[in-house]
Amino acid sequence: LRCRAGDVGLAGIKDMQAITYQFCTLRNVDSKMARRANDFLGRRVRLSSFVEVRDVLLDRGQLLGNRFEIIIRNLKRVERLHAEEGEFWKERMVPVRASHLDAMVKRIADGGFINFYG
């Protein structure tokens, strides 16, 4: 884009392991040049949905909120096996039961969860 880092405005930070999208502003960058940048950015970053605005530069912290869609694969839980008196508990990983997963989703829906980046 041939611009300074200070000419790129982002309102938040992103998880490098997630598939995300984010609004950003580019100061002193022609929208045609921004579109052509996709040819050089590779598969991990894509610029799209351009809207021209004037005299606006996003800054970290200007987010109005976040929405998440979380996909979890191969989910397992720890199962404790009965231990005889004086023995340590034994544990093993087992598939998650639907009822356990429903209870965990309800807990998050009711109380939220800690934002790692917060």
Side-chain angles (χ1 to χ4, degrees), residues 45-104:
V45 176
R46 180 77 34 215
L47 301 177
S48 64
S49 302
F50 296 93
V51 176
E52 291 207 27
V53 295
R54 300 277 186 234
D55 301 321
V56 175
L57 187 66
L58 287 175
D59 197 7
R60 191 163 49 195
Q62 290 181 313
L63 290 175
L64 296 177
N66 289 307
R67 289 190 319 242
F68 296 89
E69 179 177 317
I70 300 172
I71 299 172
I72 302 172
R73 296 178 179 90
N74 303 319
L75 188 61
K76 302 227 185 270
R77 67 177 181 85
V78 175
E79 178 180 73
R80 282 187 152 180
L81 304 173
H82 179 73
E84 298 296 326
E85 190 171 324
E87 292 182 348
F88 291 108
W89 282 95
K90 295 186 173 142
E91 298 176 340
R92 68 179 177 177
M93 300 301 291
V94 298
V96 172
R97 292 184 318 268
S99 61
H100 181 81
L101 183 59
D102 290 342
M104 295 299 100

